[in-house]
């Protein structure tokens, strides 16, 4: 796939971005917390690799079902937080857990575009092209990358402007997935 032929799909599910704060990451004494934080910081100085699992392994339903029945979920951990991008209904149900208000922050109202891939690692400029088009249209984004592709989230009220920016400014084709409103 060339960068000129980018196709984005507006996914049907509304998403939320969640943050689990540092106080919820590690329970135990201060020595354990300090040692873990130091290990994470030293790990950041190391080289990183990208890996992926075969589709049959990564499917929560054991390998059956369409991709639209398996929502995109991303979990990223740093020494300061765990960020989770998940369908809004899943995120909001987690926010209702006992005591969650003290350690979970949920920012809902995001819509997700998937760049159809796979995108080879040697392909350059994809995120720059998409982010630039949104910046020119004054639309903020939240980006997530996987081994095979990129996802771009925009606030729901900006879907129309984002779709227009992707088409008119970035030269992309936008497909609205079945069940997705807007675009």
């Amino acid at each position: 796939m060339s960068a000129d032929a980018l196709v984005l799909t507006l996914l049907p599910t509304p998403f939320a971005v969640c943050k689990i704060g540092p106080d919820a990451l590690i329970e135990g004494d201060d020595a354990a917390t300090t040692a873990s934080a130091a290990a994470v910081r030293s790990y950041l100085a190391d080289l990183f690799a990208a890996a992926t699992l075969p589709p049959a392994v990564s499917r929560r339903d054991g390998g059956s079902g369409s991709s639209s029945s398996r929502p995109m979920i991303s979990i990223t951990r740093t020494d300061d937080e765990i960020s989770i991008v998940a369908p809004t209904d899943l995120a909001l149900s987690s926010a209702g857990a006992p005591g969650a208000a003290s350690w979970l922050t949920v920012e809902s109202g995001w819509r997700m575009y998937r760049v159809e891939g796979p995108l080879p690692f040697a392909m350059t400029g994809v995120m720059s092209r998409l982010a630039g088009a949104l910046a020119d249209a004054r639309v903020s984004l939240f980006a997530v990358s996987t081994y095979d592709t990129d996802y771009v989230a925009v606030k729901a009220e900006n879907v129309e402007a984002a779709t227009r920016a992707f088409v008119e400014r970035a030269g992309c084709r936008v497909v609205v997935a079945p069940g997705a409103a807007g675009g």
Side-chain angles (χ1 to χ4, degrees), residues 35-109:
S36 177
V40 169
R41 277 193 291 278
S42 67
Y43 176 73
L44 292 175
D46 292 338
L47 295 175
F48 289 84
T52 187
L53 297 172
V57 174
S58 63
R59 293 180 179 152
R60 67 176 180 183
D61 60 4
S64 63
S66 70
S67 61
S68 63
S69 67
R70 295 182 314 273
M72 181 276 215
I73 297 173
S74 177
I75 302 170
T76 304
R77 181 181 176 153
T78 69
D79 58 339
D80 295 325
E81 67 178 291
I82 296 174
S83 290
I84 302 168
V85 179
T88 300
D89 57 350
L90 179 63
L92 294 179
S93 66
S94 298
S102 66
W103 52 266
L104 180 66
T105 304
V106 177
E107 174 79 23
S108 59

Side-chain angles (χ1 to χ4, degrees), residues 97-124:
S102 66
W103 52 266
L104 180 66
T105 304
V106 177
E107 174 79 23
S108 59
W110 294 91
R111 294 297 307 279
M112 190 74 69
Y113 293 86
R114 176 182 57 230
V115 179
E116 294 303 326
L119 304 175
F121 284 113
M123 182 185 276
T124 61

